[in-house]
Amino acid sequence: MSKGKILVTGGTGYIGSHTAVELINSGYDVVIIDDLSNSSADVVDGIERITGVRPAFVEGSCANPHVVAKLFAEHPGINAIINFAASKAVGESVKKPLLYYRNNLNILINLLEQMAPNGVKGIVFSSSCTVYGEPDINPVTEQSPIKKATSPYGNTKQIAEEIITDAIASGEPIKSVILRYFNPIGSHPSAEIGELPNGVPQNLIPYLTQTAIGLREKLSIFGNDYNTPDGTCIRDYIDIIDLARAHVKAVERLLDPSTPQIEIFNIGTGNGLSVKQLVDTFEEATGVKVPHVYADRRQGDIEQVWADPALANNVLGWKAETPLAETLKNAWRWQLRLRERGIM
Ligand code: UDP
């Protein structure tokens, strides 16, 4: 018997597709909506190959209120939403702020407005450790101060958290779990789904694996003069499957009437890792060399941030489990699969 019907917006994207797999494997029915602006409908085939179940798929943008209303009319009985749909390129958001505010905030508002009328109990929202900016103290807890966002993209995350909080404070009969992700990396071990960057990757792991396979000449490590043990930036890299499982736990809490109406959790490992350590671990885990050079600092980068995940561990009942070497091997397997498939 199904445990519930979950709407996954942005469900053909990187985090959405992995979460759809974990939801299906945990006994939920999944409805995906995605406008395919940064992903492909083939991802639904990958989800089906892994799980043996084909989720319902709707192509459309939740930024359009009519699309959202039609979605709920055609898929009655949705119990909860996980909202991944958003524009996510930090640099682009600086150049096109209005597009980012319009798209990301309209998506959220349209979904929130349709929840109560359609009997939807709760929404999981993808927030980010960017809300902590450059923290004064690491690791950061959920009580660490929120810093002014350094990009319109980052600001959409902060505003979205406030929109949800205000809606619930006003008496809207819905619940929310806000997950503040640290740095998601890796792929499903089957290499059926993974991260598919558009153009030149901005994030470390896709750039690294594309360099390892020879698509890029060298990885530039941005800055080696930071105030960290080896001079490179420190992040908390979280395995994509572990992250996907955090969403399943969040849905369970939304559907449990005894939990608070709104909760916020950091989703990280609790370990800070430098860029250099990550490159070294990749080389050890895969036996593949990654040509790299030290380059100038990248503007806007945070020197160091990692999570205190105690609240997620103790209250959400979730913990990061995948060893880093395994995560990096999965990322590499995915890059090899893309080559096999002639995609990259
Ligand atoms: N980074 C790097 N070279 C790259 C891409 C990223 O050295 O080609 C570094 C970046 O400076 C940061 C870390 O890798 O310290 C993670 O960057 P990413 O863009 O993946 O995530 P962010 O933490 O910036 O959101």
Side-chain angles (χ1 to χ4, degrees):
M1 207 191 75
S2 166
K3 287 209 242 170
K5 196 190 276 192
I6 313 300
L7 173 65
V8 182
T9 77
T12 51
Y14 175 44
I15 308 178
S17 58
H18 287 82
T19 300
V21 164
E22 296 306 314
L23 286 167
I24 294 169
N25 285 342
S26 305
Y28 291 95
D29 287 334
V30 170
V31 178
I32 289 175
I33 181 164
D34 201 299
D35 66 359
L36 303 180
S37 57
N38 195 22
S39 60
S40 131
D42 301 348
V43 173
V44 181
D45 302 333
I47 295 169
E48 184 179 7
R49 282 196 294 274
I50 296 170
T51 62
V53 176
R54 190 168 186 85
F57 174 66
V58 177
E59 183 180 343
S61 170
C62 295
N64 179 339
H66 304 296
V67 169
V68 178
K70 186 160 172 267
L71 174 76
F72 281 105
E74 288 175 359
H75 295 272
I78 288 172
N79 301 102
I81 302 170
I82 308 183
N83 180 30
F84 295 108
S87 305
K88 65 167 187 178
V90 177
E92 186 187 41
S93 80
V94 176
K95 296 193 185 100
K96 301 177 184 168
L98 299 184
L99 184 121
Y100 272 66
Y101 288 118
R102 179 155 51 79
N103 196 43
N104 294 2
L105 299 178
N106 276 337
I107 290 171
L108 177 65
I109 293 165
N110 291 340
L111 292 168
L112 289 171
E113 282 182 340
Q114 287 292 333
M115 287 175 68
N118 289 288
V120 183
K121 298 223 161 20
I123 182 164
V124 183
F125 182 72
S126 311
S127 188
S128 161
C129 67
T130 57
V131 302
Y132 302 118
E134 182 79 67
D136 302 318
I137 301 169
N138 274 299
V140 289
T141 73
E142 291 79 358
Q143 265 65 55
S144 295
I146 302 293
K147 300 275 177 73
K148 184 171 166 37
T150 54
S151 71
Y153 167 76
N155 207 19
T156 64
K157 294 296 180 195
Q158 297 191 3
I159 296 170
E161 288 196 6
E162 288 172 355
I163 290 174
I164 294 170
T165 307
D166 290 347
I168 288 177
S170 77
E172 199 67 34
I174 57 170
K175 291 168 69 171
S176 184
V177 171
I178 293 171
L179 301 179
R180 291 180 180 154
Y181 314 153
F182 284 67
N183 287 55
I185 61 168
S187 298
H188 194 272
S190 66
E192 292 288 358
I193 54 174
E195 186 172 12
L196 206 54
N198 215 343
V200 181
Q202 303 300 308
N203 293 113
L204 178 59
I205 288 298
Y207 204 101
L208 184 156
T209 56
Q210 289 194 8
T211 306
I213 209 163
L215 283 170
R216 316 253 161 227
E217 198 187 337
K218 279 189 174 70
L219 170 72
S220 293
I221 297 183
F222 298 137
N224 64 342
D225 57 351
Y226 284 101
N227 185 23
T228 60
D230 64 20
T232 67
C233 290
I234 294 179
R235 296 285 184 278
D236 186 333
Y237 295 94
I238 173 79
D239 181 84
I240 189 72
I241 305 288
D242 286 340
L243 175 61
R245 288 187 183 138
H247 293 81
V248 178
K249 292 284 186 183
V251 164
E252 282 169 10
R253 270 186 94 70
L254 289 175
L255 300 184
D256 172 353
S258 72
T259 65
Q261 233 186 325
I262 182 160
E263 294 180 295
I264 301 181
F265 298 104
N266 282 343
I267 302 296
T269 65
N271 298 317
L273 203 82
S274 77
V275 179
K276 180 74 173 81
Q277 285 176 306
L278 194 84
V279 173
D280 291 346
T281 312
F282 179 89
E283 292 186 336
E284 277 163 33
T286 61
V288 180
K289 287 284 169 213
V290 183
H292 57 275
V293 287
Y294 290 112
D296 289 346
R297 292 182 177 196
R298 181 171 70 176
Q299 210 200 338
D301 263 343
I302 301 299
E303 179 175 274
Q304 41 190 323
V305 60
W306 68 94
D308 178 343
L311 196 69
N313 298 167
N314 300 330
V315 177
L316 190 60
W318 170 89
K319 202 171 184 327
E321 283 168 2
T322 312
L324 180 67
E326 206 49 51
T327 302
L328 294 172
K329 277 194 249 179
N330 289 336
W332 179 232
R333 219 171 269 148
W334 169 244
Q335 186 69 59
L336 292 171
R337 179 66 59 89
L338 288 176
R339 162 139 312 166
E340 267 168 41
R341 284 163 51 182
I343 297 174
M344 273 179 201

